C-alpha cells in the first residue's frame, strides 16, 4: 500500500524533477518529507512568491520545471503572482498546492478556497487528480505541458484526503518519463523569402529576445551575425546571446536603430510593449518584420509580419545561415546604414561616459554602474530589478554569455530579484561553481523580498547583493529634507508617496548572521566592497550604495513606455 504523499513524490522523481522550492505546512508536511526521502532536493523559502520566482528562473536556466510546494488557501494565493509572471514570460514551473479535505468543502473547511478555478487564468494546465492512483498521469502531463510549445505553468491541486489516501500499489497508474520537447522545423520556402527580404534591405536589423536564450540558439544566431554583419539589438534578457561587447551590437543607438530600420528579423522576441508594438513613431510605418516564433499564435501579433515562420529558432536560423552563406551575402561595414548607426552610438556613449566619470558625492547611477562594471567578472550572472536601477543597469552592466541576465522581464514584476538570484546561484553551484551571481536592486525593489537573505545563508549561496539606494521609488529625499518633512506634520500627509526612509542601512541585515555588510558613498567605497565580496564563497554579501536621491537617467527622446493612442 502507498498513500498519496508517496505517490506524488515518486511520480516527480520518475519524471526527473530535481528540485522543490516552497513553504511547507498543513496539509503538505508529510509530502515535503516524502519528497526528500525519494531524493528530491528541497529549498524552503520565506515567502511563497519568492519561491515561485526562483523556481521559474531555474526552469528558464535549465529548460526543466522546478516544483513549487505551497499550503492551501492563502499559500496558493501568494504563489499566483509568481504563476502569472512565469506564464507571461513563457517559463516552465509546476505548482503543487495542498488543499482543504474534500469532505470539508462547502462547510467552511480550514483555508478552503476554489484553488483550481483561481489558478486556471495563470496556467496552461490546472487540475485536481480525482484519486491517488491517477497522480502519476497528471504529474507527467504537468511536465509535458510546462515544457512543450511555449513553456508555462501547471498547477496540481492535492486535497488532504487524496494525500492521505492509501491504495494498492498495483492499481497506481504507470507512466513513462516525459521525453524532451520535439524540434519544430521551418517551412523552407518561408526561410528563403526571409533571406530575400534581408538581401534587399537597406537598413536591416536583428532583434534578439529572451526566447532565443531559452531556445539555446546562441550558436546559430552568432553564426548569422558573424556571417552577415547585420547590426543586432538585444532585448534585456536577450543580452549575451551574442556578446554585448560585439562590435555589431547597437544597443547604444537603440531608438535610432528601431526607428530607421526597414527590415527587422525578430528572433525570440515579441512585438509587445517592450518593443513598442512595432508601430510608429518608434518604427517606420512600412517596416517589414520577419518573425520566427515557436508559438503560432504569436505570429502577426500587433502588426502583420512580412514573413511569419513557426519554428524552433535553432533550426530556422541554421537554415537561414546556409542560404545566405551559399549566396555569399553580407552587409558592407562601410555602407551608410552602418555609418549612421555608429555615429549615433558614439554620440550616446560619449554622453554616458561624461556622466559616469562624475565621482562627486552623492553619486549618480552611471558612475555607480561604471565602477561596478570595471570590477565584475565578465561571465557573471546579473539579476536586477528596480526602476532606474534596472533600466540604466542593463545598458552598462554587460553580458557576454546567454542566460546571464535575469530581470523584471515582460511582466515588469518587482520582487523577483532575490528569488532569481537564488535560482542563479543554485544553477552555478551545480554547473559552474566559480561563476559569480550579482543581485542588483533598487532600494524599493529590495524591500519586496529582503528576508530571502536568510534563505541564501541557510543554503550557503554566495550571492553579492548590491542595493542602489536613492531613498525612494523613482526618486527620494535627502536625509535633512526627510527629517524636516517628518517633523512638520502627520507622516501620512507630509511624506511624498515616492519617498522611503532616507539613508536606511540595509547592509546591517548581515549582522543577523554574524557578518558585516558594506555602506558605500564614494567610488573608493564601492571598489573596496566589491573586492571583499568577491572573496566570499559560502554566504551572501550586501553592498548598500547611497546615490543622489534625485539622480535620473539621461534624457530620452521618447518615454520608456509607449503611450496609448486611445
Amino acid at each position: 500500500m502507498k498513500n498519496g504523499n508517496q505517490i506524488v513524490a515518486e511520480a516527480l522523481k520518475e519524471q526527473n524533477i530535481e528540485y522543490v522550492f516552497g513553504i511547507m505546512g498543513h496539509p503538505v508536511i508529510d509530502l515535503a518529507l516524502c519528497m526528500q526521502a525519494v531524493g528530491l532536493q528541497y529549498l524552503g523559502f520565506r515567502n511563497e512568491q519568492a519561491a515561485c520566482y526562483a523556481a521559474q528562473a531555474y526552469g528558464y536556466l535549465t529548460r526543466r520545471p522546478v516544483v513549487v510546494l505551497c499550503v492551501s488557501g492563502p499559500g496558493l494565493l501568494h504563489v499566483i503572482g509568481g504563476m502569472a509572471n512565469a506564464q507571461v514570460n513563457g517559463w516552465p514551473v509546476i505548482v503543487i498546492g495542498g488543499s482543504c479535505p474534500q469532505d470539508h468543502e462547502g462547510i467552511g473547511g480550514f483555508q478552503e478556497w476554489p484553488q483550481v478555478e483561481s489558478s486556471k487564468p495563470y496556467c496552461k494546465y490546472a487540475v485536481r487528480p480525482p484519486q491517488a492512483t491517477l497522480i502519476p498521469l497528471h504529474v507527467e502531463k504537468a511536465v509535458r505541458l510546462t515544457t512543450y510549445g511555449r513553456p508555462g505553468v501547471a498547477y496540481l491541486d492535492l486535497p488532504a484526503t487524496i494525500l492521505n489516501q492509501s491504495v494498492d500499489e498495483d492499481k497506481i497508474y504507470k507512466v513513462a518519463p516525459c521525453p524532451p520537447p520535439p524540434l519544430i522545423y521551418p517551412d523552407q520556402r518561408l526561410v528563403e523569402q526571409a533571406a530575400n527580404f534581408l538581401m534587399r534591405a537597406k537598413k536591416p536589423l536583428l532583434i534578439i529576445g529572451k526566447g532565443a536564450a531559452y531556445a539555446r540558439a546562441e550558436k546559430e544566431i552568432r553564426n548569422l551575425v558573424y556571417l552577415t554583419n547585420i547590426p543586432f539589438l538585444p532585448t534585456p534578457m536577450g543580452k549575451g546571446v551574442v556578446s554585448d561587447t560585439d562590435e555589431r551590437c547597437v544597443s547604444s543607438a537603440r531608438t535610432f536603430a528601431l526607428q530607421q530600420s526597414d527590415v527587422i528579423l525578430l528572433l525570440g522576441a515579441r512585438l509587445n510593449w517592450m518593443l513598442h508594438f512595432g508601430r510608429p513613431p518608434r518604427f517606420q510605418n512600412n517596416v517589414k518584420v520577419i518573425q520566427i516564433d515557436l508559438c503560432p499564435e504569436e505570429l502577426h501579433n500587433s502588426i502583420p509580419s512580412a514573413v511569419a515562420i513557426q519554428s524552433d529558432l535553432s533550426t530556422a536560423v541554421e537554415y537561414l545561415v546556409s542560404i545566405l552563406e551559399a549566396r555569399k551575402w553580407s552587409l558592407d561595414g562601410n555602407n551608410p546604414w552602418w555609418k549612421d548607426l555608429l555615429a549615433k552610438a558614439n554620440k550616446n556613449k560619449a554622453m554616458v561616459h561624461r556622466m559616469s566619470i562624475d565621482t562627486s558625492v552623492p553619486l549618480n547611477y552611471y558612475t555607480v554602474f561604471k565602477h561596478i562594471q570595471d570590477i565584475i567578472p565578465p561571465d557573471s550572472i546579473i539579476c536586477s530589478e528596480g526602476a532606474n536601477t534596472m533600466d540604466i543597469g542593463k545598458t552598462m552592466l554587460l553580458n557576454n554569455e546567454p542566460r546571464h541576465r535575469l530581470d523584471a522581464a515582460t511582466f515588469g514584476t518587482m520582487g523577483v530579484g532575490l528569488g532569481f538570484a537564488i535560482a542563479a546561484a543554485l544553477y552555478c553551484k551545480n554547473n559552474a561553481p566559480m561563476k559569480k551571481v550579482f543581485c542588483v536592486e533598487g532600494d524599493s525593489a529590495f524591500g519586496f523580498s529582503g528576508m530571502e537573505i536568510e534563505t541564501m545563508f541557510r543554503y550557503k549561496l554566495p550571492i553579492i547583493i548590491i542595493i542602489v539606494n536613492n531613498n525612494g521609488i523613482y526618486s527620494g529625499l535627502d536625509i535633512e529634507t526627510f527629517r524636516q518633512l517628518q517633523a512638520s506634520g502627520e507622516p501620512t500627509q507630509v511624506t511624498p508617496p515616492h519617498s522611503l526612509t532616507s539613508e536606511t542601512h540595509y547592509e546591517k541585515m548581515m549582522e543577523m548572521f554574524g557578518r558585516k555588510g558594506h555602506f558605500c558613498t564614494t567610488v573608493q567605497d564601492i571598489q573596496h566592497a566589491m573586492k571583499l565580496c568577491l572573496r566570499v564563497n559560502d554566504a551572501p554579501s550586501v553592498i548598500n550604495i547611497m546615490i543622489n536621491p534625485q539622480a535620473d537617467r539621461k534624457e530620452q527622446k521618447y518615454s520608456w513606455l509607449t503611450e496609448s493612442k486611445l
Side-chain angles (χ1 to χ4, degrees):
M1 300 287 284
K2 288 185 178 180
N3 66 23
N5 292 305
Q6 295 170 301
I7 296 170
V8 172
E10 291 175 4
L12 292 170
K13 185 69 174 176
E14 180 67 20
Q15 294 300 325
N16 299 312
I17 299 296
E18 293 184 82
Y19 284 101
V20 180
F21 298 168
I23 299 178
M24 70 150 213
H26 183 79
V28 294
I29 297 171
D30 288 341
L31 177 55
L33 295 172
C34 283
M35 288 172 166
Q36 284 187 314
V38 301
L40 301 177
Q41 298 187 58
Y42 178 87
L43 277 76
F45 282 70
R46 302 303 300 266
N47 179 281
E48 290 95 346
Q49 271 196 25
C52 194
Y53 294 143
Q56 64 197 254
Y58 200 84
Y60 168 72
L61 293 170
T62 64
R63 295 180 28 131
R64 292 290 300 170
V66 167
V67 167
V68 178
L69 181 66
C70 64
V71 303
S72 51
L76 182 276
L77 292 172
H78 290 170
V79 173
I80 279 180
M83 294 165 70
N85 191 68
Q87 187 70 1
V88 170
N89 283 310
W91 293 353
V93 67
I94 296 171
V95 177
I96 293 179
S99 59
C100 171
Q102 290 163 297
D103 55 328
H104 290 179
E105 289 180 341
I107 56 173
F110 176 67
Q111 295 185 331
E112 180 183 356
W113 189 257
Q115 295 180 191
V116 174
E117 292 82 355
S118 295
S119 301
K120 280 184 176 178
Y122 316 101
C123 291
K124 292 178 71 177
Y125 183 59
V127 69
R128 171 187 288 183
Q131 58 191 38
T133 57
L134 294 175
I135 287 171
L137 180 151
H138 294 285
V139 168
E140 186 277 337
K141 189 171 182 180
V143 172
R144 182 157 37 88
L145 268 63
T146 56
T147 55
Y148 280 36
R150 175 177 285 171
V153 185
Y155 173 66
L156 301 180
D157 191 65
L158 297 172
T161 38
I162 288 179
L163 290 173
N164 295 323
Q165 182 184 10
S166 292
V167 297
D168 291 335
E169 191 166 350
D170 60 0
K171 293 182 179 179
I172 299 171
Y173 192 91
K174 302 295 189 292
V175 60
C178 177
L183 278 177
I184 298 177
Y185 288 83
D187 182 328
Q188 295 186 1
R189 293 169 301 175
L190 293 177
V191 180
E192 290 171 359
Q193 288 180 28
N196 293 336
F197 270 105
L198 286 173
M199 292 178 68
R200 291 196 297 265
K202 294 182 178 180
K203 299 178 179 180
L205 178 69
L206 306 182
I207 298 179
I208 304 171
K210 70 174 180 289
Y214 184 87
R216 304 294 196 274
E218 54 267 20
K219 177 183 175 182
E220 293 81 5
I221 293 174
R222 289 176 181 184
N223 288 341
L224 176 65
V225 170
Y226 302 156
L227 171 72
T228 64
N229 198 42
I230 298 176
F232 73 89
L233 184 67
T235 65
M237 287 184 58
K239 285 161 58 70
V241 171
V242 184
S243 173
D244 286 342
T245 61
D246 188 280
E247 61 187 3
R248 285 153 287 229
C249 179
V250 292
S251 291
S252 295
R254 181 182 189 273
T255 296
F256 181 81
L258 293 178
Q259 196 173 40
Q260 296 297 317
S261 57
D262 59 355
V263 174
I264 290 174
L265 177 55
L266 199 63
L267 301 175
R270 292 174 274 183
L271 290 177
N272 54 21
W273 69 272
M274 294 185 75
L275 286 173
H276 319 291
F277 312 106
R279 300 176 186 174
R282 306 302 292 269
F283 292 79
Q284 290 191 48
N285 187 54
N286 59 348
V287 65
K288 301 293 189 295
V289 174
I290 303 164
Q291 187 178 13
I292 305 175
D293 203 287
L294 188 67
C295 178
E297 290 83 1
E298 190 62 40
L299 301 176
H300 304 292
N301 192 35
S302 184
I303 63 170
S305 294
V307 184
I309 304 169
Q310 184 199 4
S311 174
D312 276 280
L313 278 176
S314 58
T315 58
V317 175
E318 183 176 38
Y319 186 55
L320 179 61
V321 168
S322 69
I323 294 172
L324 295 173
E325 188 173 28
R327 298 180 184 181
K328 295 182 171 55
W329 180 83
S330 66
L331 190 66
D332 188 343
N334 292 317
N335 70 16
W337 177 224
W338 260 120
K339 289 181 179 179
D340 290 346
L341 284 168
L342 291 175
K344 188 65 176 179
N346 289 335
K347 180 180 178 181
N348 288 338
K349 287 177 181 177
M351 185 185 306
V352 169
H353 178 70
R354 287 194 298 272
M355 299 173 75
S356 67
I357 60 174
D358 177 7
T359 59
S360 59
V361 176
L363 300 171
N364 68 65
Y365 285 104
Y366 295 89
T367 302
V368 167
F369 287 126
K370 176 192 183 300
H371 289 88
I372 292 173
Q373 176 62 32
D374 286 346
I375 296 174
I376 189 171
D379 64 343
S380 300
I381 295 182
I382 300 169
C383 307
S384 185
E385 62 176 331
N388 288 336
T389 295
M390 182 178 68
D391 290 341
I392 299 172
K394 72 189 177 189
T395 68
M396 300 194 68
L397 300 180
L398 305 181
N399 295 101
N400 296 318
E401 299 295 332
R403 300 170 296 281
H404 278 51
R405 179 180 171 85
L406 297 162
D407 68 17
T410 309
F411 210 30
T413 305
M414 292 296 110
V416 297
L418 274 69
F420 282 6
I422 289 170
L426 191 64
Y427 175 82
C428 291
K429 180 180 178 181
N430 295 332
N431 298 279
M434 302 305 293
K435 195 182 293 289
K436 296 295 183 180
V437 175
F438 286 82
C439 183
V440 185
E441 300 276 300
D443 50 328
S444 172
F446 175 75
F448 281 81
S449 56
M451 274 311 299
E452 297 301 338
I453 286 180
E454 189 274 330
T455 307
M456 298 175 184
F457 265 97
R458 200 174 346 129
Y459 297 108
K460 299 182 179 181
L461 300 174
I463 297 160
I464 300 172
I465 301 169
I466 299 175
I467 302 168
V468 184
N469 190 346
N470 70 346
N471 303 332
I473 304 170
Y474 302 113
S475 64
L477 303 172
D478 64 76
I479 192 160
E480 290 304 319
T481 304
F482 179 78
R483 287 171 176 169
Q484 290 170 9
L485 279 175
Q486 290 272 295
S488 69
E490 167 56 44
T492 58
Q493 291 290 304
V494 300
T495 306
H498 59 79
S499 176
L500 301 174
T501 303
S502 296
E503 294 193 13
T504 300
H505 282 261
Y506 298 106
E507 80 285 351
K508 288 187 176 292
M509 292 180 72
M510 295 291 291
E511 296 177 13
M512 296 188 294
F513 310 101
R515 304 286 181 109
K516 288 188 176 181
H518 305 272
F519 184 75
C520 302
T521 58
T522 68
V523 165
Q524 291 75 23
D525 291 341
I526 296 171
Q527 293 169 333
H528 180 67
M530 287 280 290
K531 290 172 182 176
L532 289 176
C533 292
L534 283 168
R535 300 174 192 166
V536 178
N537 295 311
D538 64 344
S541 308
V542 175
I543 303 173
N544 184 18
I545 303 173
M546 299 305 306
I547 67 168
N548 186 337
Q550 300 303 313
D552 203 355
R553 62 193 301 174
K554 73 179 181 68
E555 185 177 351
Q556 304 293 299
K557 182 176 180 180
Y558 295 102
S559 169
W560 66 274
L561 185 62
T562 300
E563 295 179 1
S564 173
K565 299 298 185 291
L566 298 179

